[in-house]
Amino acid sequence: DIVDKVLLRDLPSLYGIRDVQELNAFFTTLAYYSGNEVSLDTLSNSSGVEKNLLKKYLDYLEAAYLIRVIHRIDDNARKFQRATFYKIFLTNPSLRSALFSPLQPTDEAIGSMVETAIYAQWFHRDWFTPWYARWSSGRFQGEVDMVGLNEKNLKPSWAVEIKWSNRYFDKPGELKSLLQFCKKNILPSALVTSIDKEGLVKKEGVDLYFYPAAMFAYTIGVNTLKQVYNS
Protein backbone atom coordinates (compact mmCIF):
# COMPACT_ATOMS: atom_id res chain seq x y z
CA ASP A 1 0.00 0.00 0.00
CA ILE A 2 2.84 2.40 0.84
CA VAL A 3 4.66 1.73 -2.41
CA ASP A 4 1.44 1.99 -4.39
CA LYS A 5 0.49 5.32 -2.79
CA VAL A 6 3.93 6.89 -3.18
CA LEU A 7 4.77 5.61 -6.67
CA LEU A 8 1.38 5.87 -8.34
CA ARG A 9 -0.02 8.97 -6.68
CA ASP A 10 2.32 11.15 -4.60
CA LEU A 11 5.44 11.23 -6.80
CA PRO A 12 3.60 11.71 -10.12
CA SER A 13 1.58 14.59 -8.72
CA LEU A 14 4.59 16.24 -7.02
CA TYR A 15 7.06 15.94 -9.89
CA GLY A 16 4.82 15.68 -12.94
CA ILE A 17 5.96 12.15 -13.84
CA ARG A 18 4.23 11.03 -17.00
CA ASP A 19 5.20 7.37 -17.27
CA VAL A 20 4.19 6.01 -13.89
CA GLN A 21 4.63 2.40 -14.94
CA GLU A 22 8.21 3.08 -15.99
CA LEU A 23 8.99 4.53 -12.56
CA ASN A 24 7.26 1.58 -10.92
CA ALA A 25 9.28 -0.93 -12.97
CA PHE A 26 12.50 0.94 -12.16
CA PHE A 27 11.80 0.91 -8.42
CA THR A 28 10.94 -2.79 -8.55
CA THR A 29 14.32 -3.50 -10.15
CA LEU A 30 16.11 -1.46 -7.48
CA ALA A 31 14.21 -3.30 -4.75
CA TYR A 32 15.17 -6.70 -6.15
CA TYR A 33 18.86 -5.78 -6.25
CA SER A 34 19.00 -3.69 -3.07
CA GLY A 35 22.52 -3.56 -1.67
CA ASN A 36 24.25 -4.16 -5.00
CA GLU A 37 26.65 -1.73 -6.64
CA VAL A 38 25.26 -0.12 -9.79
CA SER A 39 26.00 2.68 -12.23
CA LEU A 40 23.74 4.85 -14.35
CA ASP A 41 25.13 3.11 -17.42
CA THR A 42 24.16 -0.37 -16.22
CA LEU A 43 20.76 0.83 -15.00
CA SER A 44 20.08 2.55 -18.31
CA ASN A 45 21.13 -0.48 -20.34
CA SER A 46 19.00 -2.85 -18.27
CA SER A 47 15.90 -0.63 -18.13
CA GLY A 48 16.05 1.08 -21.52
CA VAL A 49 15.52 4.46 -19.84
CA GLU A 50 17.93 7.29 -20.66
CA LYS A 51 20.40 8.27 -17.93
CA ASN A 52 19.20 11.83 -17.26
CA LEU A 53 15.71 10.56 -16.54
CA LEU A 54 17.03 7.75 -14.33
CA LYS A 55 18.97 10.30 -12.29
CA LYS A 56 15.73 12.18 -11.71
CA TYR A 57 13.95 8.97 -10.75
CA LEU A 58 16.67 8.24 -8.17
CA ASP A 59 16.29 11.75 -6.73
CA TYR A 60 12.50 11.33 -6.55
CA LEU A 61 12.69 7.92 -4.86
CA GLU A 62 15.27 9.15 -2.38
CA ALA A 63 13.18 12.23 -1.59
CA ALA A 64 10.25 9.89 -0.92
CA TYR A 65 12.45 7.93 1.50
CA LEU A 66 12.03 4.67 -0.40
CA ILE A 67 15.74 4.33 -1.23
CA ARG A 68 19.12 5.73 -0.20
CA VAL A 69 22.09 6.16 -2.51
CA ILE A 70 25.42 5.37 -0.78
CA HIS A 71 28.62 6.70 -2.29
CA ARG A 72 32.01 5.08 -2.58
CA ILE A 73 35.49 5.85 -1.28
CA ASP A 74 38.76 4.12 -2.16
CA ASP A 75 41.19 2.23 0.09
CA ASN A 76 42.73 5.56 1.17
CA ALA A 77 39.26 6.83 2.14
CA ARG A 78 39.29 9.35 -0.70
CA LYS A 79 36.03 10.33 -2.31
CA PHE A 80 35.66 10.10 -6.06
CA GLN A 81 35.32 13.40 -7.89
CA ARG A 82 32.98 11.82 -10.40
CA ALA A 83 30.62 9.31 -8.83
CA THR A 84 30.02 6.67 -11.47
CA PHE A 85 29.35 3.73 -9.14
CA TYR A 86 27.32 3.60 -5.96
CA LYS A 87 25.12 1.29 -3.92
CA ILE A 88 21.38 1.71 -3.69
CA PHE A 89 19.52 0.43 -0.64
CA LEU A 90 15.86 0.16 0.23
CA THR A 91 15.13 2.12 3.39
CA ASN A 92 13.36 -0.96 4.74
CA PRO A 93 14.07 -4.55 3.67
CA SER A 94 10.41 -5.51 4.12
CA LEU A 95 9.65 -3.56 0.94
CA ARG A 96 11.37 -6.31 -1.04
CA SER A 97 9.25 -8.98 0.64
CA ALA A 98 6.14 -6.97 -0.20
CA LEU A 99 7.07 -6.92 -3.89
CA PHE A 100 8.51 -10.44 -4.13
CA SER A 101 8.32 -13.63 -2.09
CA PRO A 102 9.99 -13.49 1.33
CA LEU A 103 13.56 -14.77 1.46
CA GLN A 104 14.71 -17.80 3.39
CA PRO A 105 17.92 -17.75 5.48
CA THR A 106 19.72 -19.89 2.89
CA ASP A 107 18.64 -17.92 -0.21
CA GLU A 108 21.41 -16.39 -2.30
CA ALA A 109 20.05 -12.86 -1.92
CA ILE A 110 19.81 -12.98 1.88
CA GLY A 111 23.28 -11.43 2.28
CA SER A 112 22.21 -8.29 0.42
CA MET A 113 19.04 -8.09 2.51
CA VAL A 114 20.99 -8.41 5.76
CA GLU A 115 23.18 -5.54 4.55
CA THR A 116 20.02 -3.60 3.63
CA ALA A 117 18.53 -4.21 7.08
CA ILE A 118 21.66 -2.92 8.84
CA TYR A 119 22.00 0.10 6.58
CA ALA A 120 18.29 0.83 7.13
CA GLN A 121 18.91 1.25 10.85
CA TRP A 122 21.67 3.78 10.20
CA PHE A 123 19.40 5.74 7.82
CA HIS A 124 17.39 6.93 10.82
CA ARG A 125 20.41 9.00 11.87
CA ASP A 126 19.89 12.04 9.68
CA TRP A 127 23.12 13.50 11.10
CA PHE A 128 25.24 10.62 9.81
CA THR A 129 26.45 9.74 6.29
CA PRO A 130 27.65 6.16 5.75
CA TRP A 131 30.09 5.18 3.00
CA TYR A 132 31.35 1.97 1.46
CA ALA A 133 34.87 1.37 0.16
CA ARG A 134 35.84 -0.33 -3.09
CA TRP A 135 39.12 -0.22 -4.96
CA SER A 136 41.33 -2.03 -7.46
CA SER A 137 45.00 -2.75 -6.86
CA GLY A 138 46.42 -4.77 -9.72
CA ARG A 139 44.42 -7.97 -9.83
CA PHE A 140 43.09 -7.45 -6.31
CA GLN A 141 39.56 -6.07 -5.97
CA GLY A 142 38.89 -4.82 -2.47
CA GLU A 143 35.66 -3.80 -0.75
CA VAL A 144 34.50 -2.88 2.75
CA ASP A 145 30.75 -2.79 3.30
CA MET A 146 30.44 0.24 5.58
CA VAL A 147 32.81 2.98 6.70
CA GLY A 148 32.28 5.89 9.05
CA LEU A 149 34.33 9.01 8.28
CA ASN A 150 35.44 11.55 10.86
CA GLU A 151 33.66 14.84 10.11
CA LYS A 152 36.74 16.94 10.88
CA ASN A 153 39.53 15.21 8.98
CA LEU A 154 37.45 12.89 6.73
CA LYS A 155 39.53 9.92 7.84
CA PRO A 156 37.93 6.55 8.67
CA SER A 157 36.77 6.28 12.28
CA TRP A 158 35.52 2.71 11.97
CA ALA A 159 34.75 -0.03 9.46
CA VAL A 160 32.15 -2.80 9.33
CA GLU A 161 32.06 -5.91 7.19
CA ILE A 162 28.51 -7.24 6.91
CA LYS A 163 28.44 -11.02 6.53
CA TRP A 164 25.66 -13.57 6.82
CA SER A 165 28.04 -16.40 7.61
CA ASN A 166 29.96 -17.86 10.55
CA ARG A 167 32.94 -19.03 8.49
CA TYR A 168 34.98 -15.85 8.95
CA PHE A 169 35.01 -16.30 12.72
CA ASP A 170 37.11 -19.43 12.15
CA LYS A 171 38.87 -18.12 9.03
CA PRO A 172 39.48 -14.39 9.62
CA GLY A 173 42.36 -14.42 7.14
CA GLU A 174 39.78 -14.54 4.36
CA LEU A 175 38.74 -10.97 5.25
CA LYS A 176 41.60 -9.65 3.12
CA SER A 177 39.89 -6.43 2.02
CA LEU A 178 38.89 -5.45 5.54
CA LEU A 179 42.33 -6.20 6.98
CA GLN A 180 44.06 -4.25 4.20
CA PHE A 181 41.75 -1.27 4.68
CA CYS A 182 42.28 -1.21 8.44
CA LYS A 183 46.07 -1.40 8.19
CA LYS A 184 46.23 1.24 5.47
CA ASN A 185 44.06 3.65 7.47
CA ILE A 186 45.55 2.82 10.89
CA LEU A 187 42.32 1.37 12.29
CA PRO A 188 43.15 -0.89 15.26
CA SER A 189 39.84 -2.73 15.08
CA ALA A 190 36.78 -3.45 12.95
CA LEU A 191 33.39 -5.10 13.37
CA VAL A 192 32.27 -8.16 11.40
CA THR A 193 28.72 -9.46 11.51
CA SER A 194 27.87 -13.15 11.56
CA ILE A 195 24.83 -15.39 11.84
CA ASP A 196 25.28 -16.15 15.54
CA LYS A 197 29.02 -16.11 16.33
CA GLU A 198 30.26 -13.52 18.81
CA GLY A 199 33.72 -12.75 20.10
CA LEU A 200 37.10 -11.12 19.49
CA VAL A 201 39.57 -12.53 16.97
CA LYS A 202 42.98 -10.94 16.43
CA LYS A 203 44.40 -11.12 12.90
CA GLU A 204 47.41 -9.32 11.41
CA GLY A 205 47.44 -6.79 14.23
CA VAL A 206 43.74 -5.93 13.83
CA ASP A 207 41.10 -6.70 16.46
CA LEU A 208 38.06 -8.17 14.69
CA TYR A 209 34.91 -8.02 16.80
CA PHE A 210 32.33 -10.53 15.59
CA TYR A 211 28.70 -9.80 16.37
CA PRO A 212 25.45 -11.45 15.17
CA ALA A 213 23.89 -9.39 12.36
CA ALA A 214 20.44 -9.30 14.00
CA MET A 215 21.89 -8.06 17.29
CA PHE A 216 23.97 -5.43 15.50
CA ALA A 217 20.91 -4.09 13.65
CA TYR A 218 18.94 -4.04 16.93
CA THR A 219 21.76 -2.27 18.79
CA ILE A 220 22.06 0.45 16.16
CA GLY A 221 18.30 1.02 16.33
CA VAL A 222 18.25 1.25 20.13
CA ASN A 223 21.25 3.58 20.27
CA THR A 224 19.70 5.81 17.59
CA LEU A 225 16.50 6.16 19.62
CA LYS A 226 18.53 6.98 22.75
CA GLN A 227 20.49 9.68 20.92
CA VAL A 228 17.33 11.23 19.50
CA TYR A 229 15.61 11.12 22.88
CA ASN A 230 18.59 12.71 24.69
CA SER A 231 19.23 15.43 22.12
Side-chain angles (χ1 to χ4, degrees):
D1 288 347
I2 292 172
V3 173
D4 182 70
K5 180 178 183 296
V6 172
L7 288 182
L8 302 184
R9 284 182 283 173
D10 292 352
L11 285 180
S13 62
L14 282 171
Y15 298 108
I17 298 171
R18 296 179 180 179
D19 195 336
V20 177
Q21 293 306 318
E22 183 177 74
L23 174 64
N24 189 38
F26 179 57
F27 174 73
T28 302
T29 300
L30 295 180
Y32 190 81
Y33 294 107
S34 177
N36 286 269
E37 188 179 57
V38 297
S39 69
L40 281 181
D41 287 329
T42 56
L43 289 174
S44 180
N45 291 335
S46 62
S47 66
V49 182
E50 58 107 9
K51 288 190 289 186
N52 287 336
L53 185 55
L54 285 184
K55 181 66 171 66
K56 291 181 180 179
Y57 283 169
L58 288 176
D59 291 341
Y60 299 159
L61 292 170
E62 196 164 21
Y65 205 68
L66 290 174
I67 66 166
R68 273 286 297 274
V69 176
I70 302 300
H71 293 284
R72 178 167 63 112
I73 57 175
D74 64 14
D75 55 336
N76 291 302
R78 291 177 302 203
K79 303 175 185 178
F80 290 83
Q81 292 183 346
R82 184 170 176 266
T84 54
F85 287 92
Y86 32 79
K87 286 188 176 183
I88 297 176
F89 289 93
L90 290 171
T91 53
N92 193 314
S94 64
L95 289 170
R96 189 190 191 281
S97 295
L99 293 167
F100 308 98
S101 58
L103 292 170
Q104 299 302 313
T106 54
D107 287 343
E108 185 178 351
I110 192 66
S112 295
M113 280 301 102
V114 170
E115 191 172 349
T116 298
I118 289 174
Y119 259 95
Q121 296 291 61
W122 287 96
F123 293 157
H124 293 287
R125 302 187 181 195
D126 54 12
W127 61 88
F128 171 72
T129 301
W131 301 80
Y132 77 98
R134 190 174 70 80
W135 65 93
S136 297
S137 179
R139 295 182 179 180
F140 182 73
Q141 300 280 339
E143 182 173 335
V144 175
D145 291 325
M146 185 183 291
V147 178
L149 296 182
N150 185 296
E151 293 182 359
K152 294 181 179 179
N153 59 20
L154 297 180
K155 297 294 184 181
S157 299
W158 50 262
V160 175
E161 189 66 20
I162 302 170
K163 300 292 188 184
W164 181 247
S165 172
N166 286 333
R167 68 174 285 126
Y168 301 98
F169 185 82
D170 299 315
K171 298 181 178 180
E174 294 183 4
L175 297 168
K176 295 180 181 179
S177 296
L178 180 63
L179 292 169
Q180 178 180 320
F181 186 85
C182 287
K183 288 185 287 186
K184 201 161 192 177
N185 292 281
I186 319 176
L187 288 176
S189 63
L191 190 143
V192 184
T193 69
S194 64
I195 296 176
D196 56 12
K197 289 283 188 178
E198 184 175 356
L200 169 63
V201 177
K202 295 180 179 289
K203 188 67 177 178
E204 299 180 17
V206 180
D207 291 343
L208 300 174
Y209 291 92
F210 286 82
Y211 205 53
M215 288 300 298
F216 183 56
Y218 172 80
T219 301
I220 296 304
V222 168
N223 289 341
T224 300
L225 287 173
K226 287 180 179 178
Q227 290 185 50
V228 171
Y229 180 77
N230 293 326
S231 62

